[in-house]
Amino acid sequence: MVSKSLSPRESGAHIVQHAKHVRVLPEGIEKLSKEILDGLQSKRIGVENFSQHELHPNPDDSKPEAYSGAADWVFVLDTLNFCFWTPNNYTKYKVDGYTGYFALCAAIKRAIADGLNVTNAKFYSEIDMKTVEHIFRSDDGETKIPLIQKRLDCLHEVGNSLLKKYDGRFENVIKAADKSAVRLLELIVEEFPCFRDQADFAGKRVSILKRAQILVGDIWSCYRGKGLGFFHDIDQITMFADYRIPQVLVHFGSLQYTPELLEVLKSDTILENGDPMEVEIRGASIYIIEQVRDEVMKSLKENHPEISPDNVNSVVIDQYLWDYRRQYQADLEHIPFHKVLSIYY
């Protein structure tokens, strides 16, 4: 995983073991596990949720170009899937009324509808700032998508790498992984440096890999775990540690902050990427969701033979909790979140 770093699951356990600013609470993990079980039983949680969203690509088996093209679309989305907030207004950047990640999705979909070949590696490897500004123009005509220069740099980097080694198609990276989610994750991190979301913590190189893992998870979800999206080890992918899921974990009582950390979060201090406080929040998030997943899998095996465990993993749990945060944002807004201006999430 590049320079002998721990895997995300190992990283979560290591970070929690040495954490000074966060605590993991078993009773909250139990409460969260029950919520996930209930979501599975009521079918609110499932691999289909991704493709059902109107802003996501929906691979069409009957059209080969559209089928493989969905992978290129997802690749561009997750290359740019970071930092949609501005320090003074977290939802200022809007596209077609959407905020956050969905504003990005709306901008890409609008560009495709406008005839721009935005998912083509040759196109975005040479894209200029004027075109990037046009593609990601906001509803108010003034607010720029945050970290716009870094987005341009990321597009150039991944576009050139894709052209150089994979004939400009992300499906070729997927095929090189030979149906292994772990190998695909390794390839993404090796081939595209802007996905290397790692840090030094308590004597170890830890891997959080939010965007790299979400890229694997989104490919799996987009293709519903079949064809290009079939991975025999998708259960090895952890949750995608961002700044929003921790709010849900605090809400369920599985994650607790020390008074010192709480003070930093409430003061809207912008942390540096790699700050121990940031690493602890993200690492604990991974650890908690892995514990929840293990608990849910155990319960399915013992008490719910009617629910297939095949598509139950940290990917769908993360997607559910991310949607939960958006659905109940008014109830969760009082819980402060950590703020880092970073390309990693």
Side-chain angles (χ1 to χ4, degrees):
M1 197 70 69
V2 178
S3 72
K4 291 193 176 175
S5 56
L6 299 177
S7 72
R9 185 176 172 113
E10 292 166 340
S11 297
H14 173 75
I15 291 165
V16 166
Q17 186 184 349
H18 297 277
K20 293 174 182 170
H21 305 99
V22 302
R23 283 181 65 210
V24 172
L25 305 175
E27 57 271 28
I29 289 175
E30 192 180 329
K31 187 178 175 186
L32 196 48
S33 300
K34 285 176 181 168
E35 173 73 22
I36 299 303
L37 268 172
D38 184 60
L40 289 166
Q41 286 175 288
S42 62
K43 295 188 166 52
R44 296 195 313 277
I45 297 176
V47 67
E48 299 82 15
N49 292 354
F50 180 93
S51 296
Q52 285 174 352
H53 199 283
E54 62 185 356
L55 295 177
H56 281 150
N58 202 345
D60 186 342
D61 295 7
S62 63
K63 299 174 186 166
E65 191 58 32
Y67 183 77
S68 62
D72 290 320
W73 187 335
V74 169
F75 180 59
V76 170
L77 283 177
D78 285 329
T79 293
L80 301 172
N81 186 358
F82 58 83
C83 195
F84 302 108
W85 60 277
T86 51
N88 302 318
N89 186 337
Y90 306 132
T91 57
K92 194 177 180 191
Y93 178 69
K94 289 187 177 76
V95 177
D96 293 343
Y98 291 98
T99 62
Y101 164 72
F102 284 127
L104 168 73
C105 295
I108 294 292
K109 192 158 191 176
R110 177 179 64 190
I112 291 169
D114 288 347
L116 290 173
N117 206 358
V118 71
T119 64
N120 178 285
K122 183 87 168 71
F123 176 85
Y124 60 75
S125 71
E126 301 170 340
I127 198 168
D128 59 23
M129 179 57 83
K130 189 178 176 186
T131 308
V132 168
E133 287 176 343
H134 174 71
I135 289 170
F136 297 106
R137 65 195 182 276
S138 62
D139 290 350
D140 65 16
E142 293 176 8
T143 306
K144 285 188 179 180
I145 189 169
L147 303 185
I148 194 164
Q149 180 62 50
K150 290 189 184 297
R151 293 179 196 278
L152 180 69
D153 296 342
C154 287
L155 287 170
H156 287 169
E157 178 196 285
V158 303
N160 283 310
S161 295
L162 214 51
L163 288 165
K164 191 175 172 185
K165 287 185 73 173
Y166 296 98
D167 201 26
R169 301 303 299 263
F170 189 65
E171 74 167 307
N172 292 330
V173 185
I174 299 169
K175 286 174 178 174
D178 196 23
K179 299 182 171 38
S180 167
V182 171
R183 183 63 192 133
L184 180 56
L185 185 64
E186 288 170 349
L187 281 171
I188 293 164
V189 176
E190 285 165 13
E191 303 287 11
F192 312 109
C194 69
F195 282 87
R196 285 179 201 159
D197 177 9
Q198 298 171 324
D200 293 312
F201 185 84
K204 300 274 188 185
R205 186 75 176 158
V206 294
S207 301
I208 310 289
L209 304 183
K210 186 262 183 175
R211 277 176 41 237
Q213 292 206 102
I214 208 170
L215 175 52
V216 178
D218 283 353
I219 291 293
W220 176 77
S221 302
C222 182
Y223 291 93
R224 303 188 183 197
K226 296 171 183 171
L228 265 185
F230 173 77
F231 303 108
H232 63 78
D233 54 357
I234 190 66
D235 61 324
Q236 297 301 302
I237 300 298
T238 73
M239 64 82 72
F240 321 126
D242 67 355
Y243 52 90
R244 287 302 199 177
I245 297 280
Q247 287 181 293
V248 185
L249 303 184
V250 170
H251 172 71
F252 276 95
S254 58
L255 178 63
Q256 187 179 65
Y257 301 142
T258 62
E260 181 195 2
L261 175 53
L262 209 50
E263 204 52 49
V264 169
L265 300 184
K266 284 180 176 174
S267 69
D268 279 346
T269 302
I270 295 180
L271 300 170
E272 289 294 319
N273 180 233
D275 184 291
M277 289 181 172
E278 177 217 26
V279 175
E280 287 185 22
I281 293 170
R282 300 181 77 205
S285 299
I286 291 174
Y287 178 83
I288 288 167
I289 299 305
E290 290 299 284
Q291 296 297 306
V292 168
R293 189 203 64 174
D294 292 350
E295 189 64 37
V296 168
M297 293 298 278
K298 185 176 170 225
S299 185
L300 289 181
K301 193 175 179 182
E302 292 173 359
N303 307 314
H304 298 281
E306 76 282 3
I307 300 175
S308 167
D310 291 352
N311 288 333
V312 179
N313 51 47
S314 296
V315 177
V316 293
I317 293 172
D318 180 287
Q319 289 169 347
Y320 174 74
L321 295 179
W322 192 80
D323 288 339
Y324 184 99
R325 204 284 312 171
R326 288 179 79 95
Q327 187 179 347
Y328 297 104
Q329 60 184 1
D331 298 335
L332 274 68
E333 213 47 52
H334 72 281
I335 302 169
F337 60 89
H338 67 285
K339 298 164 189 73
V340 178
L341 291 165
S342 165
I343 66 167
Y344 297 122
Y345 63 106

